[in-house]
Amino acid sequence: MCARKRKKKTKPNFLVEITKHQKFPQVLGFLFLLFGIMLLIAFLSYMNTWEVDHSTFRDASILILFDSATKAANSLGRLGAYLSHLFFYRLFGVSSFVLVFLLLMTGFKFLLPKAKVDLGRLLRNCVWLMLLGSTVLAFAFRTQIFPYGGGFGTTVAKWLYSFMGFSGTAVLLLFFVLLTVFFLFDLSLNFSAPSWSGGAKLKKGLSFKRYSDGVKEFGTSFADLFRFPSGKAKSSSSVKNSSTKRTPVNPKTSAGLRPSGRSIDLSLDTETPKPKIDPKTESQLMLDINVGPQKPIPDIEPPTISRDEPLHISDEDYDPTRELAGFTFPKLDMLEMYGQDLYDPEMMEINEQELKSNKNMIVETLGNYKIEISKIMATVGPTITLYEIVPAPGVRISKIKNLEDDIALSLAALGIRIIAPIPGKGTVGIEVPNKKKEIVSLRSVLSAPAFKSSKMQLPIGLGYCISSGIYVADLAKMPHLLMAGATGQGKSVGLNAIITSLIYKKHPAELKFVMIDPKMVELSIYDKIKNHYLAQLPGEEDAIVTDTSKVVTTLNALCLEMDSRYTLLKEGQVRDIKDYNKKFIKRQLNPKKGHRFLPYIVMVIDEYADLVMTAGKEIELPVARLAQKARAIGIHLIIATQRPTVNIITGTIKANFPARIAFKVSSKIDSKTILDMVGAEQLIGRGDMLISLGGNITRLQCAFIDTPEVDRITNFIGEQQGFADAFMLPEFLDEISASHSAGGAGQVDWDPLFEEAARLLVVNQSGSTSMIQRRLKLGYNRAGRIMDQLEIAGVVGPNLGSKVRDVLMPDEFELEKHLNQLFGR
């Protein structure tokens, strides 16, 4: 007989046993929740740190996770930075948050088995939302730096754009969005089954629903994912769509900048391939506000008021714009659009032949000096192209920096500037002017979300930066701005761009300008908005100061306004104008005690050098005082000059003007005077400028606005109802005015040499202070006081700047007669 074969007992599989354990679903649920929470933290941190980590993880492999030398700013370190970069930049962009929702819901399903969550349906819906959301966001925010749609969305959106154009793509995506909303959330159609196979039944007499009914249906269909056997949801918490805000990256106040032009990888082999356009490099990070749905307001029964009890009405917030509630801001169509829209990557033209030629010349020139490079990239801007080169190991950066003139000679171009190294990158930058230069219109800058949605206190649109796109800065954070450049290089255009930016953003009740224009023609166009935006001295007809003799009075009046505001801040127990106005709007400060709403005051001086030449220390001292103290109380200075010499821009002025703009200047000395470094002498002019902010130097193309555009804007504002008068500055009385108003000679402490000096000037018929110094052997200060007393006495006329004063007495006989009457002899 054959022995019956025994069946071998197989050893239990360890993994199978684990999956059969009763606690395995709970463990799996906690793991899904853990992964979901970690991804959520990494994604949220990526929203703030993506610029810093982008250059590190852009082309990195997964091996970078094990490189301890690599640093990451993400809250989850290298792991969070790598995963966030993978999902946001390479895959689905902001739609990657749907993956977090999927992981969390899956974890809840494993932890709460009784919850009727259809994982299959949930997976299908989430995948569809990620794919559709990535494409829609990439198309909607195609001009942004931030990867809203990720690599997948950008690829699909670009293909649709090239295949169907803008209108076709927009209609198609809108159709899919509406289809998703209708069938996923069942807002207006009632389905007998959750899938297409079950068929869809339309309601009889399909009609538009009330808002409240729609919200109820939305909540009912959405709650299907969380339904329990009893039919009641165990959680009563409502899902809120909170408005999320992202602050604009000020190119000069945050670390790390991303290229915003079109970046092109230039191969170093003999055959130059077709340039590859980097889809991520469009413009500066814009502010995006997603406002959630409004809640229905419940009906509130009005309270009953007893006749015996007094009626208490709570004061509403004070509205500073109430007096001009009907004021209308100027429209963007009043500005011209010059050239093309430089911030749409599809519209920006690239001269491949020029890029190829410049690349070959740069490589050849460096090769002649035994400098090898491993990679070269090109970022194209409106006026210049930035070539980024990666030197081979062992190459000293200083050798490349010293070849600036040689590279300029080989390229036969002016304005070559070498940045060695580029801050935040391991590359050397070579800026080369384009043969065909584009104009950056102010309309493009002001229409950008970086400006329109800005929450800055005093946003100014300066222009376009090749490394960060639209450049918007906050004047309140600067807090004062010094501009210099040779004649015809763009200073006046820059001033008009700054003033126009503020007018487009601030209500007349919130902003006032003090304008000083010695040239009499540059700022006179703004006189039409005198009763809206301008401030002036009491008793003066013109709000724009053109008379040099009144500039000192205006500056000192502004100092009085500064002192008055500091007194109000002290009494209000606040530290700056923002907190003070906030308390005043909340009616926490009593107007009967002198408190008032404080508008920002921006003083604009068009030609500072002319004022210093005529008035000297009388101008510099109040300007320095305002620059030192006026920031906290909302007074900011913008000073422009075409002579950036050391006797004009002194150390006192430079110390209090940390923000400086340099247009093209004539020499390296002038560049060092304004920026403390060379470089401004190599600019190409026509708005090409360098801005120094926070110790960093950035090259910009200044936004262009022409005089007819400013004229249209001022006419539009001037035709509207304004205040009864311009904003009045405090009245300032100098020594001469005070003595006249106090009653004449009895109030003046006359100098012992007064009469001798008077006779000296009358005999020579020349009102010169230096003559008094030389003839009477006096110091400058005493001679100046005697000259002021002679003006009080009516012997000489007022100060005429650099000219000598007029002598009002024709001869000594008239002088003696006049002095006898003056002193009562």
Side-chain angles (χ1 to χ4, degrees):
M1 292 182 65
C2 296
R4 178 181 291 182
K5 294 183 180 179
R6 288 187 176 183
K7 190 175 182 179
K8 292 185 178 180
K9 293 183 178 181
T10 59
K11 295 183 179 180
N13 192 319
F14 179 71
L15 295 177
V16 175
E17 291 296 326
I18 290 180
T19 57
K20 291 182 178 180
H21 196 278
Q22 60 179 358
K23 296 294 183 181
F24 178 74
Q26 287 84 352
V27 174
L28 198 59
F30 279 116
L31 287 177
F32 275 109
L33 288 179
L34 175 64
F35 293 150
I37 293 174
M38 291 182 66
L39 273 184
L40 179 62
I41 295 174
F43 288 174
L44 292 176
S45 177
Y46 180 82
M47 307 290 284
N48 294 322
T49 62
W50 65 278
E51 283 191 306
V52 180
D53 294 336
H54 178 75
S55 58
T56 304
F57 292 87
R58 176 180 178 181
D59 300 319
S61 65
I62 195 173
L63 298 179
I64 197 174
L65 297 177
F66 308 101
D67 185 6
S68 59
T70 302
K71 303 297 182 182
N74 194 282
S75 298
L76 288 187
R78 294 192 299 272
L79 178 61
Y82 181 81
L83 291 177
S84 301
H85 182 80
L86 174 66
F87 282 102
F88 269 75
Y89 184 72
R90 298 184 179 179
L91 294 178
F92 307 112
V94 178
S95 300
S96 301
F97 280 105
V98 178
L99 177 62
V100 175
F101 175 77
L102 176 61
L103 291 174
L104 295 178
M105 292 303 303
T106 305
F108 283 124
K109 171 62 179 176
F110 280 106
L111 290 176
L112 303 173
K114 294 183 179 181
K116 288 191 175 182
V117 178
D118 188 348
L119 289 182
R121 179 186 176 189
L122 179 65
L123 178 61
R124 292 194 302 270
N125 291 344
C126 288
V127 170
W128 170 249
L129 287 177
M130 276 197 296
L131 298 179
L132 178 62
S134 174
T135 306
V136 171
L137 290 174
F139 177 75
F141 298 97
R142 62 191 182 279
T143 61
Q144 312 296 315
I145 293 180
F146 187 79
Y148 286 98
F152 172 81
T154 302
T155 303
V156 176
K158 279 194 171 184
W159 185 86
L160 289 175
Y161 189 91
S162 62
F163 181 69
M164 307 178 65
F166 175 83
S167 301
T169 305
V171 171
L172 179 65
L173 292 179
L174 180 61
F175 170 77
F176 278 113
V177 169
L178 294 177
L179 198 66
T180 301
V181 171
F182 271 81
F183 290 103
L184 187 61
F185 299 110
D186 195 16
L187 287 180
S188 60
L189 297 176
N190 190 17
F191 289 86
S192 59
S195 62
W196 286 94
S197 60
K201 297 181 179 180
L202 293 176
K203 292 183 179 180
K204 294 182 179 180
L206 182 63
S207 61
F208 293 103
K209 300 179 180 180
R210 296 177 55 192
Y211 177 77
S212 59
D213 296 338
V215 173
K216 290 179 181 178
E217 286 197 13
F218 175 83
T220 303
S221 61
F222 194 74
D224 289 343
L225 295 176
F226 307 96
R227 189 176 298 155
F228 289 83
S230 60
K232 297 181 180 180
K234 288 189 176 182
S235 175
S236 60
S237 61
S238 61
V239 181
K240 297 180 180 180
N241 291 332
S242 60
S243 52
T244 59
K245 299 181 180 180
R246 284 190 296 277
T247 308
V249 177
N250 191 326
K252 294 289 106 184
T253 56
S254 62
L257 293 174
R258 293 191 52 168
S260 153
R262 302 179 64 181
S263 297
I264 302 170
D265 190 358
L266 300 177
S267 176
L268 294 178
D269 55 6
T270 55
E271 297 182 2
T272 303
K274 183 179 180 180
K276 300 179 181 179
I277 309 302
D278 193 348
K280 67 176 177 40
T281 56
E282 260 72 45
S283 62
Q284 183 186 4
L285 178 61
M286 310 304 179
L287 185 73
D288 183 26
I289 303 179
N290 301 319
V291 182
Q294 299 180 354
K295 296 182 180 179
I297 302 176
D299 295 332
I300 301 176
E301 184 178 352
T304 58
I305 302 173
S306 175
R307 293 184 178 181
D308 300 331
E309 298 179 358
L311 178 63
H312 296 284
I313 302 177
S314 60
D315 292 333
E316 61 180 5
D317 289 350
Y318 172 76
D319 184 8
T321 66
R322 181 179 299 173
E323 188 174 349
L324 293 184
F327 177 78
T328 304
F329 285 92
K331 304 294 189 299
L332 282 175
D333 57 12
M334 295 182 182
L335 299 172
E336 297 289 342
M337 178 68 77
Y338 299 95
Q340 300 174 346
D341 186 359
L342 301 175
Y343 320 114
D344 185 350
E346 301 297 332
M347 296 295 294
M348 185 177 292
E349 296 182 358
I350 291 182
N351 190 332
E352 298 183 11
Q353 184 63 33
E354 181 180 350
L355 291 178
K356 177 182 177 181
S357 175
N358 289 344
K359 182 265 296 186
N360 292 336
M361 294 302 299
I362 291 174
V363 174
E364 181 181 351
T365 303
L366 295 178
N368 293 337
Y369 292 91
K370 311 300 182 187
I371 297 177
E372 298 181 358
I373 59 176
S374 58
K375 189 177 181 180
I376 183 168
M377 294 279 295
T379 304
V380 182
T383 55
I384 62 172
T385 298
L386 175 64
Y387 294 87
E388 297 183 50
I389 61 175
V390 180
V395 176
R396 299 179 61 183
I397 302 299
S398 59
K399 292 182 63 178
I400 302 178
K401 181 66 176 175
N402 294 334
L403 296 178
E404 194 169 53
D405 294 336
D406 298 276
I407 296 176
L409 179 63
S410 62
L411 295 177
L414 297 175
I416 300 291
R417 196 169 75 102
I418 294 181
I419 311 171
I422 297 178
K425 297 183 179 181
T427 59
V428 176
I430 302 177
E431 294 176 344
V432 181
N434 298 335
K435 293 181 179 179
K436 181 182 179 182
K437 300 173 180 61
E438 298 287 348
I439 298 177
V440 178
S441 60
L442 183 62
R443 178 172 177 175
S444 299
V445 177
L446 300 189
S447 61
F451 180 83
K452 294 175 66 176
S453 304
S454 171
K455 299 302 179 183
M456 299 176 182
Q457 299 177 48
L458 294 174
I460 53 177
L462 290 176
Y464 186 87
C465 174
I466 193 173
S467 60
S468 56
I470 299 296
Y471 194 99
V472 180
D474 191 357
L475 180 60
K477 297 289 182 65
M478 286 185 176
H480 310 293
L481 180 61
L482 182 63
M483 305 172 65
T487 303
Q489 302 304 320
K491 293 189 308 302
S492 297
V493 173
L495 279 178
N496 287 331
I498 292 173
I499 295 172
T500 305
S501 300
L502 294 174
I503 289 176
Y504 265 85
K505 200 66 177 177
K506 306 300 288 187
H507 190 275
E510 302 172 325
L511 174 68
K512 301 296 177 185
F513 290 99
V514 176
M515 296 187 176
I516 299 175
D517 183 16
K519 293 192 289 188
M520 303 184 185
V521 294
E522 295 294 343
L523 302 178
S524 59
I525 195 171
Y526 295 101
D527 189 60
K528 304 170 187 175
I529 58 175
K530 169 183 175 180
N531 291 355
H532 296 82
Y533 283 102
L534 299 190
Q536 70 178 67
L537 292 172
E540 297 291 338
E541 295 183 1
D542 297 328
I544 299 176
V545 183
T546 57
D547 188 354
T548 307
S549 61
K550 297 178 182 178
V551 173
V552 178
T553 305
T554 303
L555 292 175
N556 285 287
L558 207 53
C559 289
L560 292 180
E561 174 72 14
M562 176 183 69
D563 296 335
S564 172
R565 290 189 173 202
Y566 268 115
T567 302
L568 294 177
L569 261 62
K570 177 183 177 182
E571 295 174 353
Q573 297 181 350
V574 293
R575 299 185 61 182
D576 55 37
I577 186 176
K578 185 178 181 181
D579 295 336
Y580 178 87
N581 284 338
K582 188 181 299 182
K583 291 186 70 173
F584 187 84
I585 290 174
K586 294 295 182 182
R587 300 189 184 274
Q588 299 174 4
L589 300 174
N590 191 352
K592 295 182 179 180
K593 295 183 179 181
H595 291 287
R596 54 192 170 92
F597 182 82
L598 301 179
Y600 286 96
I601 297 179
V602 178
M603 186 184 73
V604 181
I605 301 179
D606 183 46
E607 188 46 69
Y608 180 69
D610 183 68
L611 299 179
V612 174
M613 290 175 61
T614 55
K617 293 292 183 181
E618 293 182 89
I619 293 291
E620 184 177 349
L621 292 180
V623 167
R625 188 164 179 259
L626 288 169
Q628 290 170 350
K629 296 180 57 180
R631 170 184 181 176
I633 44 85
I635 298 178
H636 304 278
L637 313 182
I638 301 176
I639 294 178
T641 179
Q642 63 180 1
R643 294 184 56 195
T645 56
V646 291
N647 60 327
I648 301 298
I649 304 177
T650 61
T652 304
I653 296 298
K654 289 176 62 176
N656 295 289
F657 283 77
R660 307 170 199 164
I661 289 178
F663 293 90
K664 182 177 176 58
V665 295
S666 57
S667 65
K668 293 183 178 181
I669 297 177
D670 291 344
S671 178
K672 287 184 177 180
T673 302
I674 182 66
L675 296 176
D676 293 327
M677 64 174 292
V678 298
E681 77 283 355
Q682 296 176 329
L683 299 177
I684 59 178
R686 298 180 62 83
D688 192 15
M689 70 182 194
L690 297 175
I691 179 170
S692 173
L693 192 61
N696 297 320
I697 304 293
T698 305
R699 189 170 186 174
L700 303 179
Q701 178 61 35
C702 182
F704 179 76
I705 177 172
D706 206 357
T707 303
E709 300 173 65
V710 180
D711 194 39
R712 283 197 295 268
I713 294 171
T714 54
N715 285 334
F716 176 78
I717 296 175
E719 292 172 355
Q720 301 185 51
Q721 179 185 357
F723 296 103
D725 206 345
F727 182 85
M728 290 298 169
L729 296 174
E731 185 175 5
F732 173 76
L733 296 177
D734 56 11
E735 180 184 350
I736 298 173
S737 301
S739 63
H740 279 301
S741 61
Q747 303 295 328
V748 180
D749 185 14
W750 300 102
D751 192 279
L753 298 177
F754 168 76
E755 295 189 28
E756 186 177 352
R759 294 185 182 93
L760 174 65
L761 298 188
V762 171
V763 169
N764 291 276
Q765 287 295 302
S766 174
S768 171
T769 305
S770 60
M771 180 187 296
I772 297 177
Q773 286 182 266
R774 295 193 309 272
R775 297 289 182 88
L776 302 183
K777 299 180 180 179
L778 301 177
Y780 177 80
N781 293 334
R782 186 178 179 185
R785 286 195 298 270
I786 293 177
M787 184 62 74
D788 291 338
Q789 294 175 4
L790 291 171
E791 181 181 353
I792 294 172
V795 178
V796 296
N799 183 21
L800 298 178
S802 59
K803 299 180 181 179
V804 296
R805 298 173 184 249
D806 295 329
V807 179
L808 304 180
M809 298 291 110
D811 50 39
E812 288 187 90
F813 176 78
E814 289 293 333
L815 174 63
E816 292 298 334
K817 182 179 177 181
H818 182 74
L819 293 178
N820 290 336
Q821 293 177 352
L822 181 65
F823 295 111
R825 296 187 299 210

